[in-house]
Amino acid sequence: MDEPLLQNEGLEALYVKKTSLFVSSVKWVLKFLMWVLFVAWIALIFVYPSEFGTQLFEKWIQATTGTVFGVTGSIFLAFSGPVLVIAFLSIVHLIISGEEDLPRKKTSKYPRFRLWTFPMLVDGPFGVVSAAEFVGIVLFVVFVIWAVYAYTMTNISLLSKFQIPSKEKSLFMLELSGLRFGMIGLLCLAFLFLPVARGSVLLRLVDIPFEHATKYHVWLGHLTMLLFTLHGLFYVIAWAIQGRLLKELLEWANVGIAILPGVISLLAGLMMWVTSLNPVRKQYFELFFYTHQLYVVFVVFLALHVGDFIFSIAAGGIFLFILDRFLRFCQSRRTVDVLSASCLPCGTVELVLSKPANMRYNALSFIFLQIRELSWLQWHPFSVSSSPLDGKYHVSVLIKVLGEWTKKLRGNILSISEAESEEELPNTKITASVEGPYGHELPYHLMYENLILVAGGIGISPFLAIISDILHRLREGKPCLPRNILIVWAVKKSNELPLLSNLDMESICPFYFDKLNIESCIYVTRESEPPLEEGMQHKAMNSSVYPVSNGCAMSVLVGTGDNIWSGLYVISSTVGFIILVALLNIFYVNRFSIDSWWYKGLLFIACMVAGVLIFGGSVIGLWHLWGRRNSARVEHKDDGIGVDRSQNVKTMAHKDIEPANPNSSTVIRYGSRPDFKEIFGSISNKWGNVDVGVIVCGPPTLQSSVAKEIRSHSLTRDSHHPIFHFNSHSFDL
């Protein structure tokens, strides 16, 4: 009787094995194709400024211009097509990957260095730069130097064919150099918008969250604007010498480059550039934020300046950004329930927001939050302080009260709490809108057996989510590698300590200390001794909590959400854009012989936007209906089995804080800062030859200190010591 069952089990195991092998093979093929496309695209961009590249490009134009799309289609296919095709392949890869299983055991017996986690540069204009990022910076610098050299040689060769006076030759050289700088800037612009598409499938494919990618956008923005500024400056100098500056600046030609739109685009770019410089951005953040919305003017007038076929060089990245921006707009229209709000004595606000059960995120995610009573325009990023396993229907964030916006938020919460305590109807309310969650595609904090979590102040927030996530996984038997965790936390005053000690580990996972060793080393920098009595900081926290119901759960319309729906959105929008361009050319541009460059550039932009609004908007509508239906089904199922949707909504208020578990080691040091040389040295002797993931969340100075010590340790490392892997989790616009 047992034999058939055993045979069936064997067949089932064989089927699973074959399926897994097939999926792995498909993923390998997809990765290979994406690498081939990417390398070919980069190679094209590198050789384009050379004479060989020009000849190759001319042959490509001659071979492909016989379609309804004309020259614009040929250029778009060469420069923007690869990005979109890689995006399509990324969608397929993400769909077949599904919920990627995390490793249940170490993938490598011996520790090894990784380019992404080795800090190469620490003190400098770029902040902390990994070895992989350093390679990228070097490649861009080499490309710009090479392109300037190649174009200069081409200019000299071109001018040598004409017998003209040296003064006129110099002026021509200035104008040609300006033209070349503009082209190099346009090639850099092809990359500029890729890092700021928050839910981009490309960022998800390489597992680079938006919080990290923003610095790439900053670096590329400085480089691109420098090139465009030189582009405009060289022309201005040449025209001023010739005495026709004003005439040229006001020219708006129908055929050829339209100068005035270019001037408007450059001025918008310069305003964004100046206000994004570090001193201005830090002191006048709102000025930076509002001025940066001029990117719409910058892009539209750039298209009017160069026309459709030149603009199509950079159109791929811009189109992916438009896709992301429209999806964010749709998600943020929903009013989200604030399940509870509390003001903690340490100057921190906790908000618990309602989310649908089918929304996916991991413990190192963050959301963008808008409170409409405070501002209709301001969006602020906050790390999620709850694990996705804490509860199906809520997500929590901790907000440090620092600026005007957070002070107003705290005031609103306190005024509502006071009104409710006096049994009055509050005059104020909180109406929240949310974008996200965004973050790593995979929870990389689960990939290390040994973790060091370094936090500064409110930077402890994402680590609360990490610890909770690990404990939940240990309790439920889910894949989870961490076995040793060291928490290094620097705070200004001891009234912040309950943020960590409030995490009741034993209630999440009883007897967790049999499987997990957690040590905490806390530094109170602005107090030389404990307040009044030892343990005073563990008293109950006087705070206010109140329930609010203004709308509903967060919208599922997020780029990092359902892979199938987000993939359909990207593909349908792209196909719609191509169809609209084709129809426009057949029934309007070709039929009526439209030859105005700036007008065709405007039509091209209009087709990009219309493709997203019409075709992508239809998918979003269906996605929204599917989300509502699916959420209702899950809620009905939970209600049917008696699940209380509010049972897991935990706040830090109205709870007595118990001393730390005696099985976990907590050391509090007053009047000192972390000595990372001592900390990493102690860990090296204690943990031995292993991989150690170091995650830092705090100010740039804290990140630099940790990165510097990791680099120093790596360069002088003994064979029996660990390899530390630097990871940062700090959002800095």
Side-chain angles (χ1 to χ4, degrees), residues 335-340 352-355 432 548-554:
T335 301
V336 178
D337 278 348
V338 180
L339 299 179
S340 72
V352 181
L353 306 168
S354 176
K355 79 169 188 68
V548 183
S549 183
N550 293 318
C552 49
M554 294 161 57

Side-chain angles (χ1 to χ4, degrees), residues 182 185-193 217 220-229 231 260-273 291-307 311 314 318 321 601 605:
L186 201 61
L187 293 173
C188 291
L189 186 65
F191 297 88
L192 180 63
F193 284 87
H217 173 74
L220 286 167
H222 289 313
L223 176 61
T224 304
M225 284 312 305
L226 175 63
L227 292 168
F228 280 150
T229 302
H231 163 68
L260 184 56
V263 173
I264 297 172
S265 178
L266 182 59
L267 289 175
L270 288 173
M271 291 179 68
M272 288 190 291
W273 190 23
T291 305
H292 234 63
Q293 309 313 308
L294 289 173
Y295 72 85
V296 178
V297 177
F298 174 77
V299 170
V300 171
F301 279 87
L302 176 64
L304 299 180
H305 173 55
V306 298
F311 179 77
I318 295 173
F321 174 77
I605 283 279

Side-chain angles (χ1 to χ4, degrees), residues 5-45:
L5 292 175
L6 291 174
Q7 287 179 350
N8 287 338
E9 288 178 4
L11 289 172
E12 184 178 350
L14 182 63
Y15 173 76
V16 170
K17 185 176 180 181
K18 285 185 176 181
T19 304
S20 177
L21 180 63
F22 174 75
V23 170
S24 299
S25 301
V26 173
K27 288 167 66 176
W28 185 90
V29 171
L30 289 171
K31 287 181 179 179
F32 177 77
L33 291 174
M34 285 187 280
W35 269 111
V36 170
L37 276 172
F38 179 73
V39 171
W41 182 50
I42 297 298
L44 171 64
I45 291 174

Side-chain angles (χ1 to χ4, degrees), residues 80-151:
S80 295
V83 179
L84 297 179
V85 174
I86 291 173
F88 294 166
L89 295 176
S90 301
I91 292 167
V92 179
H93 186 276
L94 290 171
I95 290 174
I96 65 173
S97 296
E99 293 287 337
E100 192 78 38
D101 285 335
L102 300 172
R104 295 177 182 271
K105 60 181 181 179
K106 288 185 65 175
T107 56
S108 177
K109 185 177 180 181
Y110 301 103
R112 55 193 178 90
F113 289 99
R114 300 185 182 96
L115 291 178
W116 280 109
T117 59
F118 177 76
M120 190 79 169
L121 302 177
V122 176
D123 297 319
F126 297 107
V128 179
V129 178
S130 70
E133 292 166 345
F134 181 75
V135 171
I137 292 172
V138 170
L139 286 176
F140 266 98
V141 171
V142 168
F143 165 69
V144 172
I145 294 173
W146 148 250
V148 171
Y149 167 77
Y151 276 138

Side-chain angles (χ1 to χ4, degrees), residues 416-597:
I416 296 175
S417 179
E418 290 172 2
E420 289 188 345
S421 64
E422 296 174 3
E423 298 183 354
E424 297 179 2
L425 291 175
N427 295 323
T428 58
K429 62 178 182 176
I430 294 181
T431 307
S433 295
V434 175
E435 289 182 9
Y438 303 106
H440 279 272
E441 184 66 14
L442 294 175
Y444 67 88
H445 62 283
L446 301 176
M447 305 297 190
Y448 298 100
E449 285 191 359
N450 308 281
L451 278 174
I452 299 178
L453 308 177
V454 183
I458 196 61
I460 196 67
S461 175
F463 297 157
L464 299 177
I466 285 179
I467 297 168
S468 177
D469 194 52
I470 292 171
L471 292 172
H472 277 292
R473 286 178 172 275
L474 288 175
R475 186 189 67 188
E476 298 174 15
K478 293 187 175 183
C480 178
L481 283 182
R483 289 297 176 264
N484 296 298
I485 299 177
L486 172 64
I487 302 169
V488 180
W489 187 26
V491 297
K492 293 179 180 179
K493 296 185 178 181
S494 57
N495 64 355
E496 297 183 55
L497 298 184
L499 290 177
L500 178 59
S501 57
N502 179 73
L503 185 64
D504 191 350
M505 301 183 192
E506 281 205 72
S507 69
I508 299 175
C509 181
F511 307 108
Y512 69 90
F513 37 82
D514 292 336
K515 300 179 181 179
L516 183 66
N517 175 46
I518 300 180
E519 299 180 20
S520 303
C521 194
I522 304 173
Y523 297 82
V524 184
T525 60
R526 294 189 180 180
E527 292 179 3
S528 57
E529 57 185 13
L532 299 179
E533 305 176 16
E534 189 71 32
M536 189 70 166
Q537 67 273 11
H538 296 300
K539 284 189 175 181
M541 302 164 69
N542 297 319
S543 53
S544 57
V545 181
Y546 70 97
V548 183
S549 183
N550 293 318
C552 49
M554 294 161 57
S555 171
V556 295
L557 301 176
V558 58
T560 55
D562 186 270
N563 291 327
I564 295 178
W565 280 109
S566 59
L568 287 174
Y569 169 63
V570 173
I571 294 172
S572 64
S573 299
T574 308
V575 172
F577 162 54
I578 295 171
I579 291 173
L580 289 176
V581 171
L583 293 176
L584 191 71
N585 284 337
I586 294 171
F587 296 105
Y588 183 62
V589 175
N590 296 338
R591 184 176 182 182
F592 295 99
S593 301
I594 304 297
D595 57 1
S596 177
W597 285 25

Side-chain angles (χ1 to χ4, degrees), residues 204-273:
R204 294 177 63 194
L205 175 72
V206 295
D207 199 20
I208 298 178
F210 173 66
E211 70 189 76
H212 291 180
T214 49
K215 63 182 179 181
Y216 308 147
H217 173 74
V218 172
W219 300 345
L220 286 167
H222 289 313
L223 176 61
T224 304
M225 284 312 305
L226 175 63
L227 292 168
F228 280 150
T229 302
L230 291 174
H231 163 68
L233 184 61
F234 276 36
Y235 273 110
V236 166
I237 293 173
W239 293 335
I241 293 173
Q242 294 171 348
R244 54 191 182 98
L245 177 60
L246 187 60
K247 178 184 176 182
E248 290 288 350
L249 291 179
L250 298 177
E251 184 181 359
W252 192 317
N254 284 324
V255 179
I257 301 296
I259 306 299
L260 184 56
V263 173
I264 297 172
S265 178
L266 182 59
L267 289 175
L270 288 173
M271 291 179 68
M272 288 190 291
W273 190 23

Side-chain angles (χ1 to χ4, degrees), residues 231-399:
H231 163 68
L233 184 61
F234 276 36
Y235 273 110
V236 166
I237 293 173
W239 293 335
I241 293 173
Q242 294 171 348
R244 54 191 182 98
L245 177 60
L246 187 60
K247 178 184 176 182
E248 290 288 350
L249 291 179
L250 298 177
E251 184 181 359
W252 192 317
N254 284 324
V255 179
I257 301 296
I259 306 299
L260 184 56
V263 173
I264 297 172
S265 178
L266 182 59
L267 289 175
L270 288 173
M271 291 179 68
M272 288 190 291
W273 190 23
V274 170
T275 55
S276 68
L277 296 176
N278 197 56
V280 181
R281 187 178 75 251
K282 294 296 183 184
Q283 295 186 26
Y284 306 100
F285 180 82
E286 289 192 19
L287 176 63
F288 153 75
F289 180 79
Y290 296 136
T291 305
H292 234 63
Q293 309 313 308
L294 289 173
Y295 72 85
V296 178
V297 177
F298 174 77
V299 170
V300 171
F301 279 87
L302 176 64
L304 299 180
H305 173 55
V306 298
D308 59 334
F309 67 94
I310 299 177
F311 179 77
S312 63
I313 292 175
I318 295 173
F319 183 72
L320 290 176
F321 174 77
I322 294 173
L323 282 168
D324 180 76
R325 188 66 191 86
F326 181 61
L327 189 60
R328 285 161 45 199
F329 173 81
C330 294
Q331 187 194 26
S332 65
R333 294 309 91 195
R334 174 176 287 191
T335 301
V336 178
D337 278 348
V338 180
L339 299 179
S340 72
S342 55
C343 295
L344 312 181
C346 60
T348 300
V349 170
E350 183 189 33
L351 295 181
V352 181
L353 306 168
S354 176
K355 79 169 188 68
N358 58 336
M359 174 170 279
R360 62 187 291 271
Y361 74 99
N362 66 53
L364 278 172
S365 296
F366 65 94
I367 62 173
F368 281 79
L369 184 65
Q370 179 203 59
I371 305 297
R372 296 181 181 177
E373 286 73 32
L374 307 182
S375 173
W376 279 80
L377 297 175
Q378 292 186 41
W379 290 83
H380 295 264
F382 299 105
S383 296
V384 170
S385 60
S386 60
S387 161
L389 301 176
D390 278 334
K392 279 174 134 183
Y393 298 100
H394 82 278
V395 60
S396 304
V397 292
L398 290 173
I399 303 170

